[in-house]
Amino acid sequence: MSPHAEHAEAHLDAWVARFEVVRGTVARERFGRAGFAQFAARTYPTADRARLDLVADWFGWLFLVDDQLDDGRVGRDIDSARRAMDGLLRVLDQEGPAEGERPPGEPPLAWALRDLWHRTASRATPAWRRRFTGHLAACLEAACWEAENRIAGVVPGETEYIEQRRHTGAIYVCMDLIDIVGDLGLPEAVHAGEPFQAALRASSDVVVWTNDWYSLGKEMALGEYHNLVRVVAHARRLTLREALEHTAAAISAETRRYLVHRERLLAAHPEHRAALTTYLAGMESWMRGNLDWSRATLRYRERERGGLPAYLEATLAPAGTEGGT
């Protein structure tokens, strides 16, 4: 756990208020109880204070976008969802801080993204910015894939779901932030190589499958099928208990697979061993920190209004285009 966890909590509370992404006092209190800054502190325990604040803000933003698409009205209309995602991606083509008041008509989550991107991109190489932008675009596209399935009543197949889950969970986006926290600057050839990608896929799958295991109750309450346990139960015709056991066994197997990939990656690039060891430690902090946070958070237990998040507000679509949620 980072020693800066309490500061990150206070910072995130002020940040969501500053950028109007969580507006009501009660909603902010409930948002705070989800513990997103604590999540950042567990998954980036070596981050300095400023970088942990930045990561905590990214966590808050990513979870809020996810909730808007999963549970809000914008996620029930694919045209609205795609317009919202396109608007967010356009922010990444801009430079400069998000100063002053929110521009008229700009959704709060787009305004907040301008702040995040300015603070993050200023620390990064052009190659890292291209990689991160690609991962965020894939994340938002996968969110629209989920929305299309939800609207059409489609339960995805197991293989397709596993591939898309790495993007809907924004885990590649979050793994990219390991570079920012550690000032690592590994060559793109290392990132793109199969040994690195194999370790990345395995560690990412452990994270998002564990999330699915713990968030199952929340998603069942919403009738949501985008969860590995439910996908496996549907595809393999298993009982819920059997699907839970299958998923737990898959997480254990993938953890062991990661350890094999870890050693293979270090052997493939001895000249980058120090930076790779730090990056791999970041992946491992993610796997363990995600497990500990998932056990502790109220996010999957504190529900109101028919199972919706207690802090959900309409902050993704422009003012006047989306009703309350």
Side-chain angles (χ1 to χ4, degrees), residues 36-76:
F36 298 130
Q38 291 286 323
F39 193 7
R42 289 183 185 277
T43 48
Y44 301 87
T46 62
D48 64 28
R49 194 168 78 172
R51 287 177 173 86
L52 187 65
D53 289 347
L54 175 62
V55 171
D57 293 347
W58 270 112
F59 276 29
W61 187 87
L62 288 164
F63 274 107
L64 286 164
V65 170
D66 183 61
D67 285 341
Q68 289 286 315
L69 289 166
D70 284 358
D71 308 331
R73 291 186 183 179
V74 71
R76 300 173 202 166

Side-chain angles (χ1 to χ4, degrees), residues 143-284:
C144 290
W145 167 82
E146 266 196 355
E148 286 182 315
N149 287 344
R150 197 175 294 118
I151 291 163
V154 172
V155 180
E158 190 173 341
T159 300
E160 181 185 26
Y161 177 78
I162 287 172
E163 174 63 31
Q164 292 282 11
R165 186 67 179 99
R166 297 168 190 148
H167 299 298
T168 62
I171 187 59
Y172 286 170
V173 169
C174 293
M175 292 294 189
D176 285 338
L177 292 172
I178 295 171
D179 276 311
I180 299 299
V181 166
D183 282 327
L184 297 181
L186 282 164
E188 284 304 295
V190 174
H191 276 282
E194 179 53 25
F196 186 95
Q197 289 298 311
L200 177 63
R201 285 193 300 270
S203 58
S204 297
D205 286 346
V206 168
V207 170
V208 295
W209 298 354
T210 299
N211 177 269
D212 281 1
W213 207 93
Y214 278 95
S215 66
L216 178 64
K218 163 196 174 241
E219 283 150 4
M220 288 185 68
L222 293 167
E224 177 62 76
Y225 270 91
H226 291 91
N227 179 292
L228 185 62
V229 179
R230 300 205 77 184
V231 167
V232 163
H234 184 268
R236 298 175 182 246
R237 299 184 179 181
L238 303 178
T239 66
L240 187 62
R241 181 180 181 84
E242 289 169 340
L244 280 163
E245 291 171 350
H246 173 93
T247 303
I251 292 167
S252 294
E254 202 65 17
T255 305
R256 291 191 294 271
R257 191 171 293 116
Y258 162 80
L259 293 171
V260 173
H261 292 317
R262 179 189 195 281
E263 296 310 310
R264 186 168 146 245
L265 174 58
L266 289 171
H269 300 285
E271 71 280 18
H272 297 298
R273 186 177 184 90
L276 282 171
T277 299
T278 300
Y279 204 111
L280 288 160
M283 292 180 180
E284 291 156 22

Side-chain angles (χ1 to χ4, degrees), residues 16 64 76 86 130 152 177 197 199 233 238 292-293 298:
V16 297
L64 286 164
R76 300 173 202 166
D86 289 345
R130 287 191 297 271
L177 292 172
Q197 289 298 311
L238 303 178
D292 291 338
W293 178 79
L298 294 176

Side-chain angles (χ1 to χ4, degrees), residues 61 65 69 74 78-94 106-107 109-110 113-114 133 136-144 316-318:
W61 187 87
V65 170
L69 289 166
V74 71
I78 191 58
D79 291 335
S80 295
R82 289 198 177 279
R83 282 196 301 271
M85 298 304 97
D86 289 345
L88 294 177
L89 288 174
R90 283 195 296 272
V91 170
L92 304 186
D93 294 329
Q94 304 171 18
E106 182 170 50
L109 281 167
L113 179 59
R114 285 202 286 126
T133 299
L136 185 58
C139 168
L140 299 177
E141 177 60 33
C144 290
L316 180 57

